[in-house]
Amino acid sequence: MAGPYDLIVIGTGPGGYVCAIRAAQLGMKVAVVEKRATHGGTCLNVGCIPSKALLHASELFAEAQHAFAGMGIEVTPKLDISKMQAFKSEGIKGNVDGVAFLLKKNKIDSHHGTGRIIAAGKVEVTNAEGAKQTLETKSIVIATGSDVAKLPGIEIDEKQVVSSTGALDLKKVPATLLVVGAGVIGLELGSVWKRLGADVTVVEYLDRILPGTDLEVAKQFQKILQKQGFKFHLGAKVTGLDKSDIGCSVMIEPAAGGEKKKLAADVVLVAIGRVPYTEGLGLAEVGVQLDQRKRVVVDDHYQTNVNGIYAIGDVIAGPMLAHKAEDEGVAVAEMLAGQSGHVNYGVIPGVIYTAPEVATVGKTEEELKEAGVAYTVGKFPFTANGRAKVNRTAEGFVKILADAKTDRILGVHMIGPNVGELIAEACVIMEFGGSAEDLARTCHAHPTLSEAVKEAALSVEKRAIHM
């Protein structure tokens, strides 16, 4: 029996490894358990990091094809998909090796194998050869993340019918790609293969793309994607799928019922969301409570109903985002050290790394209307921003929602170039409870894209300069 540890973290994705490092910084003796050969979880191995590599590479390829000539750069790009995949793999390796280095640097013990909680304070680890070892600890944090949500009756083979994992590893560009689900993952990966030459069709059960995002942003984004060549079947569900040597035949029908339609595709990407991953953890046996969506139920201190067992990230309620898991990992480590860890769930940004990008934080207009909150809107288009205009990246806008009485910023929603970076200043000002006026009176460098944020803040009081 190994230990005793102060803390064992099961899962070394963004939530788990950050939790372990923060706990070690605070003087705890820490171990991590990871079933993969490499650390970093879904995010670094088969999620955020590889998808960003392919989004970046495919965006440059599309730019070279369509935008360079207009700037006086004459090139004819040639695609080498195996080299692009090698570029992606190199990026993954650099990141996962970095996490392994950080764990070692912070004197955290790494146990590779499948973790199972056999009692409060006891974790059994089964390695690849089947050998078992029991670790003892004061506290356990479950940070096992999430898995791909499956479509009933449709088998994912990661060749013709793929999840996000298989879609990141295709060996050639499919002539036609059918994406099931118009959420972040479907639209990002659809964008990668669209730019590289695939004909992309998206089927979505709801009557809109990007559920939960500000509706005005979602509508504008759909128009931009359609201009890029995306086809959409909204308010539609997949009712059947047949595979053959020449591709897939997919049956769809209106979500409300109606006439069926058959769509052909070389590859089908199932991107209908993710579900908490708690398989094999022994939660039922130790009495850890789950909710109706199979998420681990925790209190304000991330503790489950079993003393000494905690959970963070995708396995608990809230947005399934790496940075949300990281913040929770830090918070629970600080709480275990007797400090007052805290996560502000009102200020968790979301970014879609397409071209243009979409970034959002705080309340949407729909949420404010539903809550009966009186608000003012400031909007500024990138067509009126000097830097965006000269760079020919002028699609989209910045929208700021402020409280009508106090002027406090309640939500910021952007679509446009680099907005995934621009959203950070909105997060900072919202963390400090700042107003649109505060943002409007903050000097922004010229010429930058960030001036669009300032102008949107000025627009709250209808005094934007460049409109």
Side-chain angles (χ1 to χ4, degrees), residues 280-356:
L281 275 173
L283 300 187
E285 292 82 346
V286 293
V288 170
Q289 191 186 338
L290 302 181
D291 68 12
Q292 291 152 319
R293 290 167 65 178
K294 302 276 192 278
R295 298 175 301 196
V296 179
V297 177
V298 293
D299 64 16
D300 290 346
H301 289 75
Y302 304 101
Q303 187 163 237
T304 68
N305 59 308
V306 179
N307 275 348
I309 301 177
Y310 301 79
I312 59 166
D314 287 6
V315 286
I316 68 171
M320 288 183 169
L321 295 167
H323 42 284
K324 176 257 198 188
E326 285 185 25
D327 278 11
E328 289 174 341
V330 169
V332 76
E334 290 176 348
M335 286 172 185
L336 289 171
Q339 298 183 3
S340 46
H342 173 69
V343 178
N344 181 356
Y345 289 100
V347 186
I348 294 181
V351 180
I352 304 160
Y353 297 89
T354 45

Side-chain angles (χ1 to χ4, degrees), residues 54-64 195-196 353-355 357:
L54 291 185
L55 281 157
H56 176 62
S58 64
E59 190 177 338
L60 292 178
F61 179 74
E63 242 185 281
R195 292 170 197 160
L196 299 179
Y353 297 89
T354 45
E357 291 181 343

Side-chain angles (χ1 to χ4, degrees), residues 3 12 24 31 188 266 296:
T12 57
E188 282 189 356
D266 293 304
V296 179

Side-chain angles (χ1 to χ4, degrees), residues 181-227:
V184 176
I185 294 169
L187 298 180
E188 282 189 356
L189 293 176
S191 290
V192 167
W193 296 107
K194 178 79 196 74
R195 292 170 197 160
L196 299 179
D199 188 28
V200 177
T201 299
V202 180
V203 177
E204 168 57 49
Y205 186 80
L206 299 176
D207 60 0
R208 53 162 295 177
I209 70 169
L210 298 179
T213 308
D214 190 88
L215 187 57
E216 187 182 9
V217 169
K219 282 180 174 171
Q220 173 93 8
F221 190 44
Q222 188 184 334
K223 282 179 191 162
I224 290 170
L225 291 175
Q226 282 169 324
K227 213 165 85 182

